[in-house]
Amino acid sequence: MAKAKKSITKRWIINNLGLVCLAILVVEMVFIYAIQYYYYSSAKQYLNSRINAVASVLSIYAQDNTSNFSSEIRSMLESFDEKDKIELMAINSKGRVVLTSSGFSPDEKASMPDYLSAMDGEEGYWVGKQLSGEKIMAVTVPLTSISTEYSAIRMVVSLKEIDSTVQSYIIASAAIGGFIILIMIFTGLYFLGSIVKPIQQISLIAKRFATGDFSVRIQNNDEDEIGELCTSINYMANELSNTEAMKNEFISSVSHELRTPLTAIKGWAETISLEDNPETMKKGMGVILNETDRLYHMVEELLDFSRMQSGHFTLQRQNMDILAELEDALLVYSEKARREKMRIVYNEPEMLPVIYGDKNRIRQVFINIIDNAIKYSSAGGIITVEAKAENGNVEVSISDTGCGIKEADLPKIKTKFFKANHTRRGSGIGLAVADEIMTMHGGSLEVDSKEGIGTTVTINLPVAGKNEKGK
């Protein structure tokens, strides 16, 4: 069964928005509790202050022998100035309400927990509902110490207005909380859209990249991390497109390079088999040998590149005489240069330090560079070879007076499959292999060229004492 897709929007709603809603709900509840507590506490405090004031006056009346306590308490209840808001009650010794400021006696079945608490010596305070369903607050103060006829006085106030005020605060806070959540939803969805839409676009375009279509690019106007990602992917697409183009060109070039010698070999083999002419046979065998040698070097170059890509490109290092390998490479190409009507000028040094490296690979580099120098030069050209020791390195420079390389192509000249000049034969990987060989030896291969003037390739190799520890 396929696993359900979890979108960023869904995760954001569950995690972030859910957490914010929970936080707002907690804040709302704390706020509502605080508001209610404040109003109820204020009402309680006011009732306590009023009933204590009444109790103090009654205490004075009780100490005055000339006054009738019952008449005074009745008179006080009848003239109570806040009777429209607060009901003042007098409770007799039997626990019954006998006098009220409103003139109406409450139902005998009505509970008075505040009265019972006051009679037990506790705080006479109660919030609850009457039999009619009205929510009230009541406070009671005992009078047993000053009267035998009356046991307590009681004040009752309706909480309708207070609850209405608290409710208005609840509605206002809920509206504010809802407004905050709506703002978060709209801003969050807008923010998520700015992330999700580019990611969806990246996903769709990446799938096209996977099929080999590198023609599309991600539209990007942002300068944030998403914008950098889009820029990087577009850059990757450009590089992949260039690599794909170079690979196709490489395949075409190699196919052409293989077809040419094979055609020559086949043609001359057919000619030799049909003719019994010693001169023709000698000439044909020479062509076959040259083209076979050319095929051999090309296949070796391709194998080296394959090993390099797979990480199996290894070196067989030992102390070596770099001059001997350079001279062998020059000897191989001296006859070819003469046939092409070119001249190799070798400024041979007296002596060079010992190099610790793979002599076959180093000779391969020299052969590749000298072959390129001849390949990209015309009749009458001069190839100059120099070698010297400098700053603990051996430096070999090979210069030609050929067609040169465009300045724009120089940074890519050592890139695999790249060919600066498509009119000359070659696979486009020889220089990449040579550069890799130099890197593995701890050296470098630098190319300096000017179009129409010529090219100089400088090879730097550390001497044996410097590089042997890296073997």
Side-chain angles (χ1 to χ4, degrees):
M1 183 177 178
K3 191 175 180 180
K5 182 180 178 181
K6 292 184 178 180
S7 67
I8 294 175
T9 305
K10 186 177 180 181
R11 292 206 306 269
W12 177 80
I13 291 173
I14 294 173
N15 298 332
N16 297 63
L17 189 58
L19 185 63
V20 170
C21 290
L22 180 62
I24 290 175
L25 180 62
V26 171
V27 171
E28 293 265 352
M29 292 177 66
V30 171
F31 174 75
I32 292 167
Y33 173 80
I35 288 293
Q36 188 178 47
Y37 178 81
Y38 169 76
Y39 276 97
Y40 277 36
S41 296
S42 298
K44 177 185 175 183
Q45 186 178 358
Y46 183 74
L47 286 179
N48 282 330
S49 65
R50 291 292 289 158
I51 201 169
N52 286 330
V54 171
S56 297
V57 173
L58 290 176
S59 179
I60 294 172
Y61 288 153
Q63 294 174 6
D64 188 357
N65 295 326
T66 61
S67 63
N68 186 320
F69 186 79
S70 294
S71 298
E72 293 295 339
I73 197 170
R74 184 185 297 274
S75 175
M76 178 176 286
L77 264 66
E78 289 177 353
S79 61
F80 184 58
D81 58 349
E82 289 187 90
K83 63 174 66 179
D84 58 332
K85 296 180 181 178
I86 302 172
E87 186 170 19
L88 181 60
M89 302 177 180
I91 304 172
N92 65 12
S93 58
K94 295 181 180 181
R96 294 181 180 178
V97 177
V98 291
L99 297 172
T100 64
S101 59
S102 64
F104 298 99
S105 297
D107 194 328
E108 292 183 0
K109 296 180 180 180
S111 61
M112 296 187 295
D114 52 302
Y115 170 74
L116 298 175
S117 296
M119 292 298 99
D120 290 338
E122 300 175 1
E123 182 184 21
Y125 172 75
W126 176 66
V127 173
K129 289 185 178 181
Q130 291 182 325
L131 294 176
S132 62
E134 183 182 12
K135 191 175 182 181
I136 62 168
M137 179 184 290
V139 292
T140 300
V141 173
L143 298 177
T144 53
S145 60
I146 61 174
S147 174
T148 56
E149 185 180 354
Y150 296 96
S151 60
I153 55 173
R154 185 178 188 233
M155 278 189 178
V156 177
V157 66
S158 173
L159 294 176
K160 184 178 181 180
E161 290 187 8
I162 292 177
D163 285 345
S164 178
T165 303
V166 171
Q167 188 176 7
S168 66
Y169 278 105
I170 292 173
I171 294 171
S173 63
I176 293 171
F179 182 69
I180 292 172
I181 291 173
L182 284 175
I183 290 176
M184 282 206 61
I185 289 173
F186 284 119
T187 56
L189 291 176
Y190 176 78
F191 174 71
L192 285 172
S194 68
I195 295 176
V196 172
K197 287 181 181 177
I199 289 177
Q200 289 174 339
Q201 186 185 12
I202 289 170
S203 178
L204 291 173
I205 291 177
K207 290 177 181 178
R208 294 183 65 175
F209 289 167
T211 61
D213 180 8
F214 302 109
S215 61
V216 291
R217 295 294 180 269
I218 301 171
Q219 298 299 320
N220 172 47
N221 297 317
D222 298 324
E223 296 181 357
D224 54 11
E225 289 82 355
I226 295 291
E228 290 180 4
L229 175 62
C230 293
T231 302
S232 299
I233 291 176
N234 285 337
Y235 174 76
M236 178 192 72
N238 290 333
E239 292 300 306
L240 289 173
S241 179
N242 292 336
T243 302
E244 185 72 12
M246 285 191 292
K247 184 187 74 173
N248 292 335
E249 187 178 318
F250 165 75
I251 293 171
S252 175
S253 177
V254 168
S255 300
H256 176 73
E257 290 292 324
L258 290 172
R259 187 188 299 114
T260 302
L262 287 173
T263 302
I265 292 170
K266 181 182 178 182
W268 277 103
E270 290 174 349
T271 302
I272 292 171
S273 65
L274 294 174
E275 294 186 20
D276 189 15
N277 187 325
E279 190 67 29
T280 302
M281 182 177 291
K282 182 179 179 181
K283 185 178 180 181
M285 290 303 295
V287 171
I288 290 172
L289 287 172
N290 287 334
E291 295 301 325
T292 303
D293 187 58
R294 180 177 166 187
L295 279 174
Y296 173 80
H297 287 298
M298 189 181 303
V299 171
E300 280 297 311
E301 204 172 64
L302 292 171
L303 286 173
D304 284 340
F305 176 73
S306 176
R307 295 187 194 106
M308 187 175 71
Q309 292 295 100
S310 63
H312 297 146
F313 193 84
T314 57
L315 301 177
Q316 304 296 324
R317 302 192 190 199
Q318 60 183 358
N319 288 335
M320 55 170 281
D321 182 359
I322 192 170
L323 281 180
E325 304 309 321
L326 179 59
E327 288 169 1
D328 282 351
L330 289 170
L331 183 62
V332 170
Y333 281 92
S334 59
E335 181 60 25
K336 181 177 181 180
R338 188 186 63 78
R339 290 197 309 268
E340 300 285 342
K341 298 181 181 179
M342 299 177 195
R343 187 161 57 95
I344 296 178
V345 177
Y346 175 39
N347 300 320
E348 183 179 359
E350 292 184 3
M351 184 177 172
L352 288 177
V354 174
I355 297 296
Y356 184 76
D358 188 326
K359 64 179 183 178
N360 292 324
R361 295 299 183 187
I362 297 296
R363 183 168 64 249
Q364 179 183 346
V365 172
F366 292 150
I367 287 173
N368 182 278
I369 303 304
I370 296 169
D371 181 60
N372 281 344
I374 295 173
K375 187 191 306 178
Y376 291 100
S377 297
S378 302
I382 299 174
I383 291 90
T384 305
V385 181
E386 294 182 345
K388 60 182 178 179
E390 188 170 323
N391 298 325
N393 289 338
V394 171
E395 182 181 291
V396 178
S397 64
I398 301 170
S399 304
D400 63 61
T401 56
C403 60
I405 303 167
K406 295 179 181 178
E407 187 176 353
D409 291 336
L410 273 176
K412 300 177 283 186
I413 197 67
K414 292 184 283 186
T415 305
K416 59 185 179 182
F417 309 140
F418 182 78
K419 287 181 67 176
N421 192 327
H422 300 283
T423 63
R424 307 299 173 105
R425 62 179 177 81
S427 63
I429 60 174
L431 205 57
V433 172
D435 184 61
E436 179 68 16
I437 292 172
M438 287 297 98
T439 301
M440 293 177 71
H441 278 86
S444 64
L445 187 150
E446 303 297 332
V447 180
D448 183 31
S449 182
K450 289 186 178 180
E451 191 175 10
I453 296 176
T455 302
T456 298
V457 178
T458 304
I459 298 165
N460 277 290
L461 283 167
V463 298
K466 289 180 63 178
N467 199 43
E468 190 169 358
K469 62 184 178 181
K471 62 183 177 179

